[in-house]
Amino acid sequence: SEVLGFNLNISGTSDVSASSLYALAGCKEPNSFHTNARCQEPGSFRHHLALEVWSSTTSDRLEELQREVPDRVPLDLGSVGYHGTDSFFVTGSILENRYAEDGLSLNFYRSYDARWNRPWASFDKASRIDPARLKLCSQTRLSSNVDMDNYKSITGDSDGLTREASGNYIGKCWNGTWWLSPSCRSNWDQCVPVITGGYGWSLDTIMQNAASWHMPTAVAVALNLGELNAIPRDHKVLFYMWTPDASFIHLDLHDVSFAKDVGRLHQRGDRRSIPSSILLSKYAMPRLAKAAPKAFEVAARMSVSNSHIDAMLRKVKSGIATREVACSWLKDNTDIWHGWVPAATACIAGQGIVAKNQSFMEARRQAASCMWCPAGRFSDVLEDLAGITYRCITCKQGFMQPTVGQ
């Protein structure tokens, strides 16, 4: 903000990437995208940029926005630089203790096959987890006809579902909070408790894998993000998490390795695989390119590596304020972020290069910055060794241009 002269404001946060797209599109209730985000009403454009948007969750939502408000669909600015992973994790202590006991590797999905192994012996019983710390199934994706119909289609398991009068399915729950996989439905004390968060992040992934590979799991959704972070500390569980994130960066975590053939399968709703990494993207409000072109360009060029983001997260976890960590990174890495900032003479259409005294220039050599072209001049493209810019040219005799920025 100091370099560009803009006031930077964090206008909102969300634990679901999809809601950021609805916010950029000006929808009144972006967090209610599952029901009604109120996108058809006049737009409310308080949010201009969204960072770290998980590409694995956005394609369907972008298609929906394209149908509803095609002129307000957010613009994809590409990767943030670092990649993400989301999977189901087990702590190093559980992993090492079980391996030392009988050589079973609990970071591989085939090791959970109840026909050959007893994976539940390394975990707490689901019944030990206070149900007050969990969402009711009716508050999660287990109540989604689309998700449960798809589960039935992929796995053929109808015993774990309840069929409604409409003919659609919802998840069948035990104690109002747990969904049990086929391998432990007859005895839930032999289920491995699996905790996820949000509305049911990757719930379809663990359900489909559990049913298909004989994994005895009891799956529940934590009441909130705080409980998602706390339950794995209080109980021996498998849990959904993502990286990069500061919550467990100090712990020895291991993701459970699933099949990696994702592209073809996921297009058909088959979630019996987890990608090794996920593209994390930046999106912008469509009008930002015209309203604040320099800020738009910085956002498009911005790129931070995984090693840099992990180092910053460790500092945040140690207790250093987020702003202080970010400021330290900027001071120590000017060679990186200077490349994000466009040249002062990189004008956009409607502008032209000017000297320090704000007189319009024909060439970039003595130019210092950009200004909007006034009435009587028009913005003409100029390409030189530094790239493309614009200059404000006086209208020829017999022509007129009565407005600013043309």
Side-chain angles (χ1 to χ4, degrees):
S1 60
E2 294 174 3
V3 173
L4 296 182
F6 286 94
N7 289 322
L8 181 64
N9 175 50
I10 299 177
S11 58
T13 60
S14 175
D15 56 10
V16 181
S17 283
S19 64
S20 66
L21 301 178
Y22 289 83
L24 293 177
C27 303
K28 299 287 187 181
E29 300 289 344
N31 290 323
S32 300
F33 64 88
H34 282 294
T35 53
N36 181 15
R38 297 172 60 192
C39 297
Q40 299 291 355
E41 301 176 26
S44 174
F45 298 101
R46 297 190 305 108
H47 311 285
H48 304 145
L49 284 169
L51 304 179
E52 201 176 293
V53 177
W54 289 65
S55 60
S56 57
T57 67
T58 58
S59 58
D60 291 345
R61 302 304 168 185
L62 287 170
E63 290 176 6
E64 183 176 59
L65 287 170
Q66 184 65 46
R67 291 192 300 269
E68 291 191 15
V69 284
D71 59 327
R72 287 156 43 185
V73 177
L75 301 177
D76 185 352
L77 302 186
S79 170
V80 292
Y82 54 92
H83 65 266
T85 60
D86 70 332
S87 186
F88 292 88
F89 287 82
V90 60
T91 63
S93 59
I94 295 174
L95 187 73
E96 295 303 325
N97 288 341
R98 187 56 184 266
Y99 188 77
E101 179 183 327
D102 60 10
L104 193 66
S105 297
L106 292 177
N107 59 343
F108 180 56
Y109 74 108
R110 290 290 199 179
S111 296
Y112 290 82
D113 192 326
R115 297 173 301 175
W116 311 107
N117 301 312
R118 299 172 66 253
W120 60 86
S122 297
F123 298 88
D124 287 348
K125 291 180 172 59
S127 56
R128 290 189 56 193
I129 300 173
D130 185 353
R133 305 177 73 175
L134 307 171
K135 285 184 177 179
L136 296 174
C137 292
S138 59
Q139 299 171 314
T140 73
R141 291 175 69 181
L142 287 162
S143 64
S144 166
N145 294 146
V146 173
D147 289 329
M148 295 304 105
D149 288 351
N150 184 61
Y151 170 79
K152 169 64 167 56
S153 174
I154 296 296
T155 68
D157 173 31
S158 58
D159 291 339
L161 304 170
T162 298
R163 191 166 191 173
E164 299 182 304
S166 63
N168 294 320
Y169 291 96
I170 59 173
K172 183 185 295 182
C173 284
W174 280 254
N175 287 4
T177 52
W178 294 96
W179 178 86
L180 309 185
S181 68
S183 295
C184 63
R185 236 167 245 160
S186 60
N187 182 3
W188 82 321
D189 282 342
Q190 293 182 355
C191 290
V192 174
V194 181
I195 305 297
T196 185
Y199 179 59
W201 297 322
S202 288
L203 189 68
D204 51 352
T205 297
I206 193 61
M207 288 176 65
Q208 290 183 26
N209 276 283
S212 299
W213 311 123
H214 310 282
M215 300 172 68
T217 59
V219 188
V221 179
L223 186 64
N224 50 48
L225 190 57
E227 291 292 2
L228 177 61
N229 291 335
I231 291 174
R233 294 189 176 95
D234 300 338
H235 295 279
K236 295 177 181 179
V237 299
L238 279 181
F239 61 100
Y240 172 83
M241 186 46 64
W242 59 89
T243 61
D245 186 80
S247 301
F248 297 99
I249 199 167
H250 62 298
L251 296 180
D252 180 25
L253 296 184
H254 300 263
D255 62 310
V256 178
S257 176
F258 289 87
K260 302 301 182 185
D261 181 19
V262 298
R264 175 177 53 84
L265 297 176
H266 277 209
Q267 290 176 2
R268 302 199 307 264
D270 189 329
R271 304 295 178 181
R272 291 174 294 183
S273 57
I274 294 181
S276 56
S277 65
I278 297 174
L279 174 68
L280 305 182
S281 301
K282 305 161 290 191
Y283 280 84
M285 176 189 74
R287 302 177 186 177
L288 187 65
K290 184 69 178 291
K294 293 289 175 65
F296 181 89
E297 188 64 26
V298 168
R301 296 182 181 186
M302 184 176 69
S303 180
V304 181
S305 69
N306 275 86
S307 60
H308 279 278
I309 202 72
D310 285 345
M312 286 188 277
L313 288 173
R314 289 189 184 93
K315 291 180 180 180
V316 170
K317 190 63 180 179
S318 72
I320 304 175
T322 302
R323 183 177 178 83
E324 183 178 344
V325 171
C327 286
S328 295
W329 187 89
L330 289 171
K331 292 175 181 177
D332 295 340
N333 295 278
T334 54
D335 57 323
I336 294 177
W337 65 260
H338 270 173
W340 305 347
V341 181
T345 56
C347 307
I348 64 169
Q351 296 179 336
I353 48 177
V354 294
K356 289 183 179 180
N357 63 2
Q358 296 191 347
S359 60
F360 291 104
M361 307 297 296
E362 292 286 324
R364 198 192 312 236
R365 186 177 58 183
Q366 294 180 327
S369 61
C370 300
M371 282 185 59
W372 292 106
C373 297
R377 291 178 179 264
F378 69 95
S379 183
D380 181 53
V381 67
L382 171 67
E383 186 170 4
D384 56 20
L385 294 177
I388 294 176
T389 188
Y390 288 82
R391 55 187 177 179
C392 295
I393 302 297
T394 304
C395 295
K396 295 180 181 179
Q397 186 174 0
F399 293 84
M400 64 177 294
Q401 198 289 101
T403 58
V404 175
Q406 299 297 312

